[in-house]
Amino acid sequence: MFDLTGRVAVVTGAGQNVGEGIARLLAQRGAAVAVNDLFAERAEGVAEGIAQEGGKALSAPFDVTDPEAVGTGMAHVAEQLGPVDILVNNAGVPPGMGVTPFREMDPGEWSKYVDLNLYGVLHCTRAVIEGMCERNWGRIVTVSSGAGQTGLNLGISLYGAGKGAAISFMRHFAMEVAGQGVTANTVALGLIDNHRDPTVTAAMARQVPVGRTGQAADIAPSVLFLVSEEASWITGQILGVNGGNLML
Ligand SMILES: NC(=O)c1ccc[n+]([C@@H]2O[C@H](COP(=O)([O-])OP(=O)(O)OC[C@H]3O[C@@H](n4cnc5c(N)ncnc54)[C@H](O)[C@@H]3O)[C@@H](O)[C@H]2O)c1
């Protein structure tokens, strides 16, 4: 079950944390994985780590918000690994993301959240969808957030807007390609602990019904399931991976 042997996967923003965990698990299940990141050294480090574990990986650094770079990068992946069967749109935190209430935000700050979380998803999806439809098989998973599903008083309204836009796109898009063997689903994450400060971690954990924050390792299995052959009858869905933090 959940064997990806012979499949080619691209995971965006896979140079660390959640994306790295996804790339590593897909490679362990037999996929050849293109490790994308904005920062080449991060992508290279993860790709090397996968190769050392005996997996097949390619470092594929490019900016998902730049349509030309996405086109060139995806073409390189196809040349080196073969046609892309699986796309995981994971990149979603713009470098230097802060928390600022909308009223205090400069309009010049808005676009980076929408560019990454909506346009990044659109560019990458567009670059791989024709091939998937021609081959009548494809899996697209977008990593979104509870912030795209509900209101949070955390100063992340533009981030939430980008995350919500991607969720809505994935639903409509799933309808359009369902007849061509392509599924399109979303995983909406809860609080993932990227902090090293135990006080912050403990405060975050108290908000999660299962009593702890998420780790990268908690996310990857849900993505593996959705990109597998076995999940061919699941499309247009949003899977909450959040320790019970948001129950819809
Ligand atoms: N961390 C959380 O608490 C949390 C919660 C809910 C959802 N998420 C979502 O999970 C996903 C992964 O989050 P994370 O915490 O692992 O993020 P992270 O910031 O730790 O890692 C994301 C990676 O994406 C890369 N990246 C950023 N912009 C890029 C671009 N334009 N092109 C290519 N790569 C780019 C970064 O360089 C970074 O290495 C994101 O979509 C995020 O929105 C995270």
Side-chain angles (χ1 to χ4, degrees):
M1 247 191 170
F2 311 143
D3 181 10
L4 301 182
T5 306
R7 299 292 184 201
V8 173
V10 176
V11 184
T12 70
Q16 63 181 20
N17 293 327
V18 172
E20 175 178 358
I22 295 168
R24 284 180 182 273
L25 185 60
L26 301 194
Q28 283 162 15
R29 290 304 172 122
V33 179
V35 179
N36 162 263
D37 204 279
L38 188 58
F39 298 103
E41 65 279 10
R42 290 186 190 172
E44 277 155 23
V46 173
E48 275 166 24
I50 290 172
Q52 278 163 14
E53 287 172 7
K56 189 167 183 189
L58 173 76
S59 159
F62 55 83
D63 180 351
V64 300
T65 68
D66 176 345
E68 270 186 41
V70 172
T72 309
M74 291 293 195
H76 180 66
V77 171
E79 265 166 37
Q80 297 293 312
L81 299 179
V84 176
D85 303 299
I86 295 165
L87 168 65
V88 182
N89 290 307
N90 168 75
V93 180
M97 174 176 162
V99 288
T100 316
F102 178 73
R103 289 166 65 197
E104 292 165 25
M105 220 175 173
D106 186 298
E109 289 286 295
W110 296 349
S111 61
K112 67 180 177 191
Y113 297 100
V114 181
D115 283 350
L116 181 55
N117 282 299
L118 177 59
Y119 280 89
V121 170
L122 302 184
H123 295 319
C124 292
T125 301
R126 182 169 174 271
V128 299
I129 189 57
E130 291 310 319
M132 288 179 178
C133 289
E134 276 162 25
R135 295 188 303 282
N136 212 38
W137 202 95
R139 297 283 183 271
I140 301 181
V141 172
T142 292
V143 178
S144 186
S145 166
Q149 297 175 291
T150 190
L152 297 167
N153 191 13
L154 297 173
I156 56 169
S157 52
L158 262 295
Y159 172 77
K163 287 299 193 194
I167 287 176
S168 192
F169 165 70
M170 290 295 286
R171 279 206 204 95
H172 288 274
F173 173 71
M175 293 287 275
E176 294 179 15
V177 296
Q180 279 79 50
V182 180
T183 68
N185 291 291
T186 299
V187 289
L189 310 188
L191 289 167
I192 311 302
D193 191 4
N194 295 339
H195 300 86
R196 299 282 172 267
D197 180 343
T199 322
V200 175
T201 299
M204 286 166 75
R206 281 194 290 276
Q207 299 169 40
V208 184
V210 303
R212 64 174 182 85
T213 52
Q215 306 291 326
D218 292 311
I219 312 308
S222 60
V223 176
L224 170 65
F225 168 55
L226 289 171
V227 303
S228 70
E229 181 59 36
E230 287 79 0
S232 63
W233 216 51
I234 301 174
T235 196
Q237 303 303 311
I238 304 163
L239 177 59
V241 185
N242 56 26
N245 199 223
L246 182 63
M247 299 186 185
L248 295 174

